[in-house]
Amino acid sequence: MGWALVAAEAHHRKGWIKRFDPRFWTVDFARPMMASVVSDAPGALRVEAVFYRKQDLAGLIWEAADRWDHALLGYETSHDFRHTQLTFRWRSGGVKPLDALHGPTLTIEGRDAGGTPRAWYVRLWNYAEGTGEDALVTLDFDALNGGFLLPGEADPVWAGDIDRMFISLVSPTYDGGDGVLAAPVEGWAEMREIVCSGSGSVLAIGDAVLPEHGLGMTNGYDDCYHLTPARVVRQIVQLGYRGDVVHYVGMSHYMRLEGLVDGFAVSVAGGALNRPAAAWHRALAAACADAGLGVIWSLSYELFDAYCRDDWKQRDAGGAPALTGWVPPSTLLSPANAAAMGYLQLVARAFVAIALEAGLPVTFQVGEPWWWVNPGGRICAYDDATTAALGGASVVMADVRGALTGPQTAMLDALGALLAGSTAALVAAARDEAGAAGLTSYLLVFLPTVLDPAAPEVRRANVPIGWAKPAFDVLQLEDYDWVTGGRGAETAPARAAMALRLGYPIDEQHYFSGFVLLPEQRAGWAAIADAAAAARRAGVARTFVWALPQVARDGFVTFDEADEGEDAVQAFDAVDFPLAIGREALAITEFSTQIVASPSGHEQRASEWAEARMRYDAGPGIRSEADVRTLADFFRARRGAARAFRFRDPFDASSAADGGTPAADDQWLGIGDGSRRQFALAKRYGAGDAVQARAIRLPVDGSVRVSVDGIETAAFVLTGEGEVLLDVAAPVGAAVRAGFRFDVAVRFADDRLEVSRATFLAGELASVPLVEVRAPQGAST
């Protein structure tokens, strides 16, 4: 599997769109209100909104710069809106009409002709013909004025340097004051027959179409609620993702709300989903169906804390609610609370109904259901509903880490039974709603939490036996904390442990690889891509990348290489070159340096390789006809240069400075942080600023010795990638070092092997050139 992080380049394939294309508008607003935008027909868009407070305002936004699309697919940045005319038919209901005070206003943010930042407020009614709720609006950006009354209050717009513009939508009772509305107000607005003309009306847009590949895509509504579903699906398809899309419905935007004395809480009055979210998801389902994609609807036990009823929350023994690390935080619903679980079941039914309406196969995922553990090992299993359900099985458990008593482990088992019962009821509700169409069920489990080595007994509660096959059709596993934290080697044994405990074979498992939270962490994509490739090699049924917003932000692309011959190039046989022949080989160490000399004799030098590449000539080691036959047999088995193999460098095959017997403290691998167990082998050359670290991928079996904080230990294994995996994480600040012998991955440099009997008997040396290749992942096995 190949991958890359790309940025927009002039040579990338481009198409053209009209400025103000309905697919590329966005919406935004402040909580608790909700709004969505869909482009449900050519030249048209529709905004749905629900207002809970008098001051709620939604903005329908067009931005000069595309901040949301992948680098290969975004539209060009153009701040100059001059010589552009926009016309559209406006229709609305449940919002302030065009002709009212505080009616829809186009706010334009940019700079005036002198470069000073400023904003203009264009009252759309001044450019409308019709009624306040049904009118034709015409905007000429060369002759546009802000101001409420024209011409007396005209404020000419300078359209040559605009950053963004948005149309504001407010409830019919909006008057600039604060306060909670007596009841939620639902409203909508449409722009139809959108026509943009003039010499400034056309924008270039990335139009790359990547080949279909083997990875699946994931997404989350909390991250893309502001985009049109058409924009989301366009990116998925053109980036080469096919099959089912895992769509997490989120924890903060789909719900209906009702006002309380001190805030808002989820409600099912009028349905489980608010109208904007329902409209958005219907459009998503229809767009996926049209594109030949399926949707796995993912619903978790996580809920935005500010909207969650107090008695629904999981709580620790001190009464503190389960709170995640997000800002602002979310909380976890108690599996024992009948009202909370009943609410989730209604939400599941609502999304199943949307799938049925679109004609999609019904696929439903229970996402990461668990008993939360607050800092300090305080499990959140003491809310009133859980305590009542457990009865005498509820005992004091101040810290779930380390050794526990019999009654405490019995409580964890009982918690597992409650969790399994709640997930079974949730799937049953979704299946009942699906009816004759049937339903495929999925369970998503986050391995670093449920198999936390610091709290090994917690799996009793968070990986209950009640989840064992056939409770779900497919087991889905994710582990991004391990992967991005340099602990990816923990995944394979964890996957095996889950299969052993729950009985789902690997071909009934899915794997989620990712994610990269912040742009400055984009280097983490290397580990994510490697983990995805490893999962596919292991034989999981499907591998997904988490998630589309991060893929688009960082420019991640992936492609399968099998059809391009890359597998043949990278093919590796874990066999040794005949050692007796190799001992006499000639070794050549090479770099690639670009050197540019000026007329004065000064040079500029650029090193193109991060590491040296080795070349060898094994010809000097051929001493007999038996050696010739051995070499010819080995050459044929490798199909010439097609397949790489292990080679022992006669001069540099040990971690020891003198090339002798390795010691456990030869080479520095890293510093412990209390959780990291995995360390890559490396050998360092030189000292100070000139030191070069050489990655060692092919350690010799049985030769590796490891020390932690100066003390040699045998409590480790080698991963398939040739890295050290400690049984126990190295303490904070402890130096991890190792000694080893190692091989180099090489191939024959040519597809032809020439050895003449006449020249051989005359004492002339044959030439058998070998060239180093970068060791493929998993080569050490």
Side-chain angles (χ1 to χ4, degrees):
M1 186 188 87
W3 67 278
L5 300 181
V6 302
E9 300 286 353
H11 66 271
H12 289 159
R13 176 174 170 173
K14 297 290 193 299
W16 306 94
I17 61 168
K18 283 289 190 176
R19 201 192 293 260
F20 303 115
D21 185 307
R23 295 171 296 172
F24 300 99
W25 289 77
T26 63
V27 292
D28 210 352
F29 45 85
R31 292 188 180 99
M33 80 160 295
M34 178 61 197
S36 68
V37 57
V38 303
S39 51
D40 58 349
L45 62 81
R46 180 181 175 94
V47 178
E48 296 279 356
V50 56
F51 306 95
Y52 296 104
R53 302 175 303 174
K54 294 178 181 179
Q55 65 268 36
D56 284 344
L57 180 149
L60 175 62
I61 305 166
W62 180 271
E63 296 184 85
D66 186 343
R67 297 190 294 134
W68 308 113
D69 286 304
H70 193 280
L72 295 177
L73 302 174
Y75 58 78
E76 71 169 299
T77 297
S78 176
H79 295 277
D80 191 349
F81 284 68
R82 292 174 297 177
H83 316 307
T84 301
Q85 297 82 45
L86 172 65
T87 64
F88 55 88
R89 178 162 296 281
W90 177 270
R91 297 180 63 246
S92 64
V95 299
K96 283 274 192 181
L98 290 170
D99 56 349
L101 179 65
H102 305 302
T105 299
L106 179 66
T107 298
I108 300 175
E109 299 173 339
R111 283 155 293 279
D112 63 21
T116 301
R118 62 156 304 177
W120 296 268
Y121 305 96
V122 178
R123 187 186 184 203
L124 292 183
W125 179 243
N126 289 333
Y127 297 92
E129 294 182 3
T131 69
E133 294 185 329
D134 189 349
L136 182 66
V137 178
T138 302
L139 304 175
D140 183 346
F141 284 85
D142 289 330
L144 202 59
N145 288 293
F148 187 77
L149 295 176
L150 300 182
E153 299 176 356
D155 181 14
V157 173
W158 165 249
D161 194 3
I162 293 173
D163 291 329
R164 74 166 188 164
M165 56 186 69
F166 63 91
I167 298 173
S168 55
L169 301 173
V170 297
S171 73
T173 59
Y174 181 91
D175 60 6
D178 297 341
V180 177
L181 296 170
V185 174
E186 296 177 334
W188 59 274
E190 292 180 342
M191 293 170 61
R192 295 195 172 272
E193 303 168 30
I194 298 173
V195 176
C196 188
S197 58
S199 60
S201 66
V202 176
L203 297 175
I205 187 170
D207 197 29
V209 181
L210 272 64
E212 178 181 347
H213 49 75
L215 293 186
M217 178 48 67
T218 62
N219 198 22
Y221 187 47
D222 290 334
D223 292 325
C224 66
Y225 65 88
H226 59 300
L227 306 178
T228 65
R231 190 173 187 173
V232 170
V233 174
R234 172 181 180 263
Q235 294 191 75
I236 293 171
V237 171
Q238 294 196 211
L239 292 174
Y241 297 92
R242 298 294 186 270
D244 288 337
V245 176
V246 178
H247 177 73
Y248 176 39
V249 302
M251 54 87 180
S252 64
H253 284 89
Y254 68 77
M255 59 283 302
R256 288 181 180 269
L257 301 175
E258 62 183 40
L260 302 177
V261 174
D262 56 350
F264 296 87
V266 296
S267 170
V268 294
L273 308 184
N274 62 59
R275 198 164 86 173
W280 193 95
H281 284 94
R282 283 195 296 269
L284 174 72
C288 285
D290 289 344
L293 302 173
V295 179
I296 298 176
W297 305 94
S298 170
L299 178 64
S300 78
Y301 283 36
E302 189 177 3
L303 196 64
F304 188 55
D305 182 63
Y307 298 161
C308 187
R309 298 178 183 277
D310 285 343
D311 59 338
W312 289 13
K313 300 177 184 181
Q314 295 181 23
R315 295 183 181 274
D316 62 28
L323 294 179
T324 66
W326 301 110
V327 179
S330 53
T331 190
L332 277 296
L333 299 178
S334 170
N337 188 291
M341 295 299 98
Y343 172 73
L344 282 187
Q345 292 169 26
L346 291 175
V347 173
R349 288 179 178 273
F351 283 109
V352 168
I354 288 173
L356 292 172
E357 179 184 340
L360 291 172
V362 183
T363 52
F364 177 73
Q365 178 208 87
V366 183
E368 298 181 351
W370 53 28
W371 296 96
W372 189 258
V373 179
N374 275 340
R378 295 176 289 116
I379 191 167
C380 295
Y382 295 94
D383 57 274
D384 290 345
T386 300
T387 299
L390 294 181
S394 180
V395 297
V396 175
M397 196 166 1
D399 190 337
V400 294
R401 298 168 297 184
L404 300 178
T405 67
Q408 289 172 332
T409 56
M411 177 180 172
L412 292 175
D413 289 334
L415 290 173
L418 283 175
L419 182 60
S422 72
T423 56
L426 182 56
V427 170
R431 181 170 283 114
D432 179 68
E433 187 69 25
L439 177 141
T440 302
S441 62
Y442 300 79
L443 172 69
L444 177 62
V445 178
F446 186 61
L447 293 173
T449 294
V450 302
L451 298 184
D452 182 359
E457 297 293 354
V458 169
R459 69 188 63 185
R460 294 172 177 267
N462 283 338
V463 191
I465 296 300
W467 284 350
K469 180 180 172 67
F472 297 89
D473 295 304
V474 179
L475 175 65
Q476 299 178 314
L477 303 176
E478 63 177 335
D479 62 348
Y480 60 81
D481 276 6
W482 286 346
V483 170
T484 57
R487 301 168 58 190
E490 298 184 38
T491 299
R495 183 185 292 126
M498 292 294 289
L500 180 64
R501 184 168 177 83
L502 300 181
Y504 297 87
I506 197 164
D507 60 356
E508 293 179 13
Q509 294 180 22
H510 289 174
Y511 176 70
F512 286 60
S513 193
F515 75 136
V516 179
L517 178 61
L518 301 173
E520 55 267 29
Q521 298 169 340
R522 66 199 307 264
W525 282 109
I528 290 168
D530 287 347
R536 295 175 68 183
R537 290 195 301 270
V540 300
R542 194 88 164 98
T543 298
F544 294 90
V545 174
W546 184 268
L548 180 62
Q550 290 76 33
V551 165
R553 181 197 66 203
D554 295 337
F556 178 81
V557 294
T558 184
F559 44 89
D560 287 341
E561 299 172 318
D563 293 338
E564 301 169 1
E566 185 70 15
D567 276 359
V569 174
Q570 293 298 324
F572 180 86
D573 294 334
V575 297
D576 293 324
F577 185 80
L579 294 179
I581 298 175
R583 289 192 188 101
E584 304 298 327
L586 172 70
I588 304 166
T589 306
E590 67 176 355
F591 283 92
S592 178
T593 305
Q594 289 286 346
I595 302 175
V596 178
S598 69
S600 65
H602 291 88
E603 292 182 344
Q604 289 185 342
R605 296 178 294 275
S607 179
E608 295 183 323
W609 296 348
E611 294 185 20
R613 183 171 68 171
M614 299 301 299
R615 288 182 178 271
Y616 304 94
D617 190 339
I622 301 175
R623 299 295 181 89
S624 66
E625 291 189 38
D627 288 344
V628 173
R629 286 190 291 271
T630 298
L631 179 63
D633 182 73
F634 189 85
F635 182 83
R636 283 178 174 271
R638 307 288 82 73
R639 297 188 302 177
R643 305 189 68 83
F645 48 89
R646 301 177 71 117
F647 180 81
R648 189 75 46 82
D649 188 317
F651 302 102
D652 188 6
S654 171
S655 60
D658 61 359
T661 302
D665 61 351
D666 282 347
Q667 299 291 330
W668 182 83
L669 305 187
I671 296 294
D673 61 7
S675 62
R676 181 182 177 191
R677 296 170 55 207
Q678 188 173 347
F679 295 84
L681 294 177
K683 182 175 180 180
R684 286 169 171 77
Y685 300 82
D689 294 339
V691 71
Q692 188 213 14
R694 178 185 187 182
I696 303 300
R697 294 295 187 187
L698 299 177
V700 175
D701 187 37
S703 74
V704 180
R705 302 172 64 184
V706 176
S707 65
V708 177
D709 206 18
I711 301 175
E712 186 167 359
T713 177
F716 70 92
V717 295
L718 286 180
T719 71
E721 284 69 41
E723 298 186 351
V724 170
L725 179 64
L726 300 174
D727 292 354
V728 179
V732 176
V736 180
R737 305 179 68 90
F740 43 82
R741 295 191 185 276
F742 61 93
D743 292 334
V744 181
V746 302
R747 61 171 172 80
F748 287 101
D750 300 314
D751 276 323
R752 185 172 58 185
L753 180 66
E754 294 185 5
V755 181
S756 165
R757 176 182 291 272
T759 57
F760 176 74
L761 293 176
E764 296 183 19
L765 297 178
S767 178
V768 185
L770 310 174
V771 60
E772 182 182 9
V773 299
R774 303 308 181 196
Q777 293 293 317
S780 66
T781 58

